[in-house]
Amino acid sequence: MRKYAICDIELLDEVDAEGELVFDFGQVLESGRATIRISNDGLLFIAKWEGDTPVFLNDVDTYTHAEILTELQGSNWTTAE
C-alpha cells in the first residue's frame, strides 16, 4: 500500500553525523527534487513510498491515499484558477 508524508522542506538538506544527506530518494517513489510536490509557500513537500516507512520519515505523520487527497485540497497545495 502506498503511503504519504508531508515534510518540512529542510529535510531535503539535512545531513547526518557523517555529512551524508538524511533524505534518501532511493527509498521513496520520487527520483529527486525535480519530482517532488512542493507546497505553494515552499515550506513543505510530499514524500510517497510503498512498504515499510523509511527511517528518515519515522517522525512525520503518515497518510493514506484518501487522507493525502484531503490534505491537498487545502489552499497551500492548490492554485487559484
Side-chain angles (χ1 to χ4, degrees), residues 9-35:
I9 199 76
E10 291 87 18
L11 180 60
L12 295 176
D13 296 318
E14 191 175 319
V15 294
D16 62 17
E18 289 79 38
E20 299 293 322
L21 288 172
V22 171
F23 193 89
D24 179 4
F25 280 101
Q27 296 184 44
V28 296
L29 298 175
E30 297 80 5
S31 59
R33 286 180 182 257
T35 62

Side-chain angles (χ1 to χ4, degrees), residues 2 6-7 13 23 30 33 43 51 54-55 62 71 73 76:
R2 190 167 287 182
I6 298 174
C7 309
D13 296 318
F23 193 89
E30 297 80 5
R33 286 180 182 257
L43 300 176
V55 173
T62 300
E71 293 292 321
Q73 293 175 10
N76 200 26

Side-chain angles (χ1 to χ4, degrees), residues 30-49:
E30 297 80 5
S31 59
R33 286 180 182 257
T35 62
I36 59 173
R37 179 153 181 193
I38 299 175
S39 62
N40 293 336
D41 63 11
L43 300 176
L44 303 170
F45 74 97
I46 296 176
K48 61 182 174 249
W49 68 96

Side-chain angles (χ1 to χ4, degrees), residues 1-7 23 27-30 36 45-58 60-69 71-72:
M1 179 170 77
R2 190 167 287 182
K3 300 174 192 167
Y4 303 81
I6 298 174
C7 309
F23 193 89
Q27 296 184 44
V28 296
L29 298 175
E30 297 80 5
I36 59 173
F45 74 97
I46 296 176
K48 61 182 174 249
W49 68 96
E50 293 179 347
D52 295 333
T53 302
V55 173
F56 54 89
L57 295 174
N58 277 343
V60 298
D61 291 335
T62 300
Y63 299 86
T64 65
H65 187 254
E67 291 168 337
I68 201 69
L69 289 177
E71 293 292 321
L72 291 176

